[in-house]
Amino acid sequence: MRQRGARGILGLKRIFKIMDDDGSGFLDRQEFNKALKDYRVQVTPEEGAKLFSLFDLNGDGSISYDELLRGVVGEMNQNRKNLV
């Protein structure tokens, strides 16, 4: 993602909007799988499904921007928590 311009949280938001083909504000499995191909992430269908489940934290069948952000950035470290 970094090679495609996703520098920081704002860059990631821009990338998320590009991946969200239908403009719903969420990524469904089809959009997620297309994004994996677009970013040349080579996974089997089973691996793609597992990866989708890892990002879909609430299990509703879609990935929100916040879920993607948490999956990419991870939990806040102590410095980020202190800043907040």
Side-chain angles (χ1 to χ4, degrees):
M1 290 181 167
R2 194 174 285 147
Q3 291 175 347
R4 292 248 181 124
R7 299 203 193 321
I9 292 174
L10 292 178
L12 187 58
K13 181 70 172 180
R14 186 177 66 80
I15 295 296
F16 182 85
K17 286 182 179 183
I18 291 169
M19 293 188 302
D20 180 18
D21 291 332
D22 64 5
S24 67
F26 297 92
L27 301 179
D28 60 24
R29 288 183 187 270
Q30 184 178 5
E31 291 168 327
F32 183 77
N33 289 334
K34 181 180 176 288
L36 290 176
K37 287 180 184 177
D38 289 348
Y39 285 92
R40 297 180 185 93
V41 178
Q42 297 179 359
V43 295
T44 66
E46 294 80 19
E47 292 168 332
K50 287 180 185 177
L51 192 55
F52 184 90
S53 294
L54 289 173
F55 280 98
D56 182 15
L57 297 175
N58 65 4
D60 68 354
S62 63
I63 299 171
S64 68
Y65 171 69
D66 290 337
E67 288 172 319
L68 183 72
L69 184 61
R70 171 126 346 154
V72 171
V73 176
E75 296 291 328
M76 281 196 261
N77 63 30
Q78 192 58 48
N79 288 337
R80 288 172 53 204
K81 287 179 182 178
N82 291 340
L83 181 62
V84 171

Short mmCIF file of all heavy atoms in Angstrom, two decimals, residues 4-34:
data_model
loop_
_atom_site.label_atom_id
_atom_site.label_comp_id
_atom_site.label_asym_id
_atom_site.label_seq_id
_atom_site.Cartn_x
_atom_site.Cartn_y
_atom_site.Cartn_z
N ARG A 4 1.86 2.48 -3.30
CA ARG A 4 0.78 3.08 -4.08
C ARG A 4 0.29 4.39 -3.48
O ARG A 4 -0.79 4.85 -3.79
CB ARG A 4 -0.38 2.11 -4.19
CG ARG A 4 -0.06 0.89 -5.03
CD ARG A 4 -0.87 0.94 -6.30
NE ARG A 4 -0.63 -0.19 -7.12
CZ ARG A 4 -1.59 -1.00 -7.56
NH1 ARG A 4 -2.83 -0.80 -7.22
NH2 ARG A 4 -1.30 -1.99 -8.35
N GLY A 5 1.03 4.97 -2.54
CA GLY A 5 0.68 6.28 -2.03
C GLY A 5 0.00 6.31 -0.68
O GLY A 5 -0.42 7.36 -0.24
N ALA A 6 -0.12 5.18 -0.01
CA ALA A 6 -0.77 5.15 1.31
C ALA A 6 0.25 5.49 2.37
O ALA A 6 0.78 4.64 3.05
CB ALA A 6 -1.39 3.79 1.56
N ARG A 7 0.54 6.75 2.51
CA ARG A 7 1.47 7.21 3.53
C ARG A 7 0.65 7.79 4.67
O ARG A 7 0.04 8.83 4.55
CB ARG A 7 2.39 8.26 2.97
CG ARG A 7 3.23 7.74 1.82
CD ARG A 7 4.49 8.53 1.63
NE ARG A 7 5.26 8.36 0.44
CZ ARG A 7 5.52 7.25 -0.22
NH1 ARG A 7 4.99 6.14 0.15
NH2 ARG A 7 6.28 7.24 -1.28
N GLY A 8 0.62 7.08 5.78
CA GLY A 8 -0.12 7.55 6.93
C GLY A 8 -1.59 7.24 6.84
O GLY A 8 -2.08 6.60 5.90
N ILE A 9 -2.31 7.70 7.83
CA ILE A 9 -3.73 7.40 7.95
C ILE A 9 -4.54 8.02 6.82
O ILE A 9 -5.45 7.39 6.27
CB ILE A 9 -4.24 7.84 9.33
CG1 ILE A 9 -3.62 6.95 10.41
CG2 ILE A 9 -5.76 7.77 9.40
CD1 ILE A 9 -3.92 7.36 11.82
N LEU A 10 -4.22 9.24 6.42
CA LEU A 10 -4.97 9.87 5.33
C LEU A 10 -4.76 9.15 4.01
O LEU A 10 -5.70 8.99 3.23
CB LEU A 10 -4.57 11.35 5.20
CG LEU A 10 -4.99 12.25 6.35
CD1 LEU A 10 -4.49 13.67 6.12
CD2 LEU A 10 -6.49 12.24 6.53
N GLY A 11 -3.55 8.68 3.77
CA GLY A 11 -3.28 7.91 2.56
C GLY A 11 -4.03 6.61 2.56
O GLY A 11 -4.56 6.18 1.53
N LEU A 12 -4.12 5.98 3.73
CA LEU A 12 -4.86 4.73 3.84
C LEU A 12 -6.35 4.96 3.58
O LEU A 12 -7.01 4.14 2.95
CB LEU A 12 -4.63 4.10 5.21
CG LEU A 12 -5.20 2.71 5.41
CD1 LEU A 12 -4.64 1.72 4.39
CD2 LEU A 12 -4.90 2.22 6.82
N LYS A 13 -6.87 6.07 4.04
CA LYS A 13 -8.29 6.41 3.80
C LYS A 13 -8.54 6.56 2.30
O LYS A 13 -9.56 6.08 1.79
CB LYS A 13 -8.65 7.71 4.53
CG LYS A 13 -10.08 8.14 4.37
CD LYS A 13 -11.03 7.22 5.09
CE LYS A 13 -12.43 7.78 5.08
NZ LYS A 13 -13.38 6.93 5.76
N ARG A 14 -7.62 7.18 1.60
CA ARG A 14 -7.75 7.35 0.16
C ARG A 14 -7.74 6.00 -0.55
O ARG A 14 -8.57 5.73 -1.42
CB ARG A 14 -6.63 8.24 -0.38
CG ARG A 14 -6.76 8.58 -1.85
CD ARG A 14 -5.66 9.52 -2.32
NE ARG A 14 -4.35 8.92 -2.27
CZ ARG A 14 -3.87 8.08 -3.18
NH1 ARG A 14 -4.60 7.73 -4.22
NH2 ARG A 14 -2.66 7.59 -3.08
N ILE A 15 -6.84 5.12 -0.13
CA ILE A 15 -6.76 3.79 -0.70
C ILE A 15 -8.04 3.01 -0.42
O ILE A 15 -8.57 2.30 -1.28
CB ILE A 15 -5.53 3.03 -0.14
CG1 ILE A 15 -4.23 3.71 -0.59
CG2 ILE A 15 -5.55 1.56 -0.53
CD1 ILE A 15 -3.98 3.69 -2.07
N PHE A 16 -8.58 3.15 0.80
CA PHE A 16 -9.82 2.46 1.15
C PHE A 16 -10.96 2.90 0.22
O PHE A 16 -11.72 2.07 -0.27
CB PHE A 16 -10.20 2.74 2.61
CG PHE A 16 -11.45 2.03 3.05
CD1 PHE A 16 -11.39 0.73 3.52
CD2 PHE A 16 -12.69 2.66 2.99
CE1 PHE A 16 -12.55 0.06 3.91
CE2 PHE A 16 -13.84 2.00 3.39
CZ PHE A 16 -13.77 0.70 3.85
N LYS A 17 -11.04 4.19 -0.05
CA LYS A 17 -12.10 4.69 -0.93
C LYS A 17 -11.95 4.13 -2.34
O LYS A 17 -12.95 3.87 -3.02
CB LYS A 17 -12.08 6.22 -0.97
CG LYS A 17 -12.63 6.85 0.28
CD LYS A 17 -12.64 8.36 0.17
CE LYS A 17 -13.23 8.99 1.42
NZ LYS A 17 -13.33 10.44 1.32
N ILE A 18 -10.73 3.95 -2.79
CA ILE A 18 -10.49 3.37 -4.11
C ILE A 18 -10.92 1.90 -4.12
O ILE A 18 -11.54 1.43 -5.08
CB ILE A 18 -9.00 3.51 -4.51
CG1 ILE A 18 -8.67 4.98 -4.75
CG2 ILE A 18 -8.68 2.66 -5.73
CD1 ILE A 18 -7.19 5.27 -4.89
N MET A 19 -10.63 1.17 -3.05
CA MET A 19 -11.00 -0.24 -2.97
C MET A 19 -12.52 -0.42 -2.87
O MET A 19 -13.06 -1.43 -3.31
CB MET A 19 -10.32 -0.91 -1.76
CG MET A 19 -8.82 -1.02 -1.89
SD MET A 19 -8.00 -2.00 -0.60
CE MET A 19 -8.48 -1.19 0.89
N ASP A 20 -13.21 0.56 -2.30
CA ASP A 20 -14.66 0.50 -2.08
C ASP A 20 -15.38 0.86 -3.38
O ASP A 20 -15.88 1.96 -3.57
CB ASP A 20 -15.04 1.46 -0.95
CG ASP A 20 -16.52 1.48 -0.64
OD1 ASP A 20 -17.22 0.53 -1.02
OD2 ASP A 20 -16.97 2.45 0.00
N ASP A 21 -15.48 -0.11 -4.27
CA ASP A 21 -16.01 0.13 -5.62
C ASP A 21 -17.44 0.66 -5.62
O ASP A 21 -17.79 1.49 -6.46
CB ASP A 21 -15.96 -1.16 -6.45
CG ASP A 21 -14.55 -1.57 -6.80
OD1 ASP A 21 -13.67 -0.69 -6.89
OD2 ASP A 21 -14.32 -2.78 -6.98
N ASP A 22 -18.28 0.20 -4.70
CA ASP A 22 -19.68 0.62 -4.73
C ASP A 22 -19.96 1.85 -3.86
O ASP A 22 -21.09 2.31 -3.78
CB ASP A 22 -20.62 -0.52 -4.34
CG ASP A 22 -20.43 -1.01 -2.91
OD1 ASP A 22 -19.63 -0.42 -2.15
OD2 ASP A 22 -21.09 -2.02 -2.55
N GLY A 23 -18.93 2.38 -3.20
CA GLY A 23 -19.09 3.59 -2.41
C GLY A 23 -19.91 3.41 -1.14
O GLY A 23 -20.41 4.38 -0.57
N SER A 24 -20.01 2.18 -0.66
CA SER A 24 -20.85 1.89 0.52
C SER A 24 -20.19 2.28 1.84
O SER A 24 -20.86 2.35 2.86
CB SER A 24 -21.17 0.40 0.56
OG SER A 24 -19.99 -0.35 0.80
N GLY A 25 -18.87 2.51 1.81
CA GLY A 25 -18.16 2.78 3.05
C GLY A 25 -17.66 1.50 3.71
O GLY A 25 -17.09 1.55 4.80
N PHE A 26 -17.88 0.38 3.05
CA PHE A 26 -17.45 -0.92 3.54
C PHE A 26 -16.88 -1.73 2.39
O PHE A 26 -17.27 -1.53 1.24
CB PHE A 26 -18.63 -1.70 4.14
CG PHE A 26 -19.23 -1.03 5.33
CD1 PHE A 26 -20.30 -0.15 5.18
CD2 PHE A 26 -18.75 -1.27 6.60
CE1 PHE A 26 -20.87 0.48 6.27
CE2 PHE A 26 -19.31 -0.64 7.71
CZ PHE A 26 -20.37 0.23 7.54
N LEU A 27 -16.00 -2.67 2.71
CA LEU A 27 -15.50 -3.60 1.71
C LEU A 27 -16.20 -4.92 1.90
O LEU A 27 -16.17 -5.50 2.99
CB LEU A 27 -13.99 -3.81 1.85
CG LEU A 27 -13.09 -2.58 1.73
CD1 LEU A 27 -11.64 -2.97 1.92
CD2 LEU A 27 -13.30 -1.89 0.41
N ASP A 28 -16.84 -5.42 0.83
CA ASP A 28 -17.40 -6.77 0.90
C ASP A 28 -16.30 -7.73 0.44
O ASP A 28 -15.20 -7.32 0.08
CB ASP A 28 -18.68 -6.89 0.08
CG ASP A 28 -18.49 -6.59 -1.41
OD1 ASP A 28 -17.36 -6.72 -1.94
OD2 ASP A 28 -19.49 -6.23 -2.06
N ARG A 29 -16.62 -9.01 0.44
CA ARG A 29 -15.60 -10.01 0.08
C ARG A 29 -15.09 -9.82 -1.33
O ARG A 29 -13.90 -9.97 -1.59
CB ARG A 29 -16.16 -11.42 0.25
CG ARG A 29 -16.31 -11.81 1.69
CD ARG A 29 -16.80 -13.26 1.80
NE ARG A 29 -17.11 -13.58 3.17
CZ ARG A 29 -16.23 -14.09 4.03
NH1 ARG A 29 -15.00 -14.32 3.66
NH2 ARG A 29 -16.59 -14.37 5.27
N GLN A 30 -15.97 -9.47 -2.25
CA GLN A 30 -15.57 -9.29 -3.64
C GLN A 30 -14.59 -8.10 -3.77
O GLN A 30 -13.57 -8.20 -4.44
CB GLN A 30 -16.80 -9.08 -4.53
CG GLN A 30 -16.47 -8.96 -5.99
CD GLN A 30 -17.72 -8.81 -6.85
OE1 GLN A 30 -18.84 -8.71 -6.34
NE2 GLN A 30 -17.54 -8.80 -8.15
N GLU A 31 -14.91 -6.99 -3.14
CA GLU A 31 -14.03 -5.81 -3.19
C GLU A 31 -12.70 -6.12 -2.52
O GLU A 31 -11.64 -5.71 -3.00
CB GLU A 31 -14.70 -4.63 -2.51
CG GLU A 31 -15.89 -4.09 -3.27
CD GLU A 31 -16.72 -3.11 -2.46
OE1 GLU A 31 -16.82 -3.26 -1.21
OE2 GLU A 31 -17.30 -2.19 -3.08
N PHE A 32 -12.75 -6.84 -1.41
CA PHE A 32 -11.53 -7.21 -0.69
C PHE A 32 -10.64 -8.10 -1.56
O PHE A 32 -9.44 -7.86 -1.68
CB PHE A 32 -11.88 -7.90 0.62
CG PHE A 32 -10.70 -8.25 1.47
CD1 PHE A 32 -10.04 -7.29 2.21
CD2 PHE A 32 -10.24 -9.56 1.54
CE1 PHE A 32 -8.94 -7.60 3.00
CE2 PHE A 32 -9.15 -9.89 2.33
CZ PHE A 32 -8.50 -8.91 3.07
N ASN A 33 -11.24 -9.11 -2.19
CA ASN A 33 -10.47 -10.01 -3.05
C ASN A 33 -9.89 -9.27 -4.25
O ASN A 33 -8.75 -9.53 -4.66
CB ASN A 33 -11.34 -11.18 -3.52
CG ASN A 33 -11.65 -12.15 -2.40
OD1 ASN A 33 -10.90 -12.26 -1.43
ND2 ASN A 33 -12.77 -12.83 -2.51
N LYS A 34 -10.65 -8.33 -4.80
CA LYS A 34 -10.14 -7.52 -5.92
C LYS A 34 -8.96 -6.67 -5.46
O LYS A 34 -7.96 -6.55 -6.16
CB LYS A 34 -11.25 -6.63 -6.47
CG LYS A 34 -10.82 -5.77 -7.65
CD LYS A 34 -11.98 -4.92 -8.14
CE LYS A 34 -11.56 -3.98 -9.24
NZ LYS A 34 -10.72 -2.88 -8.77
#
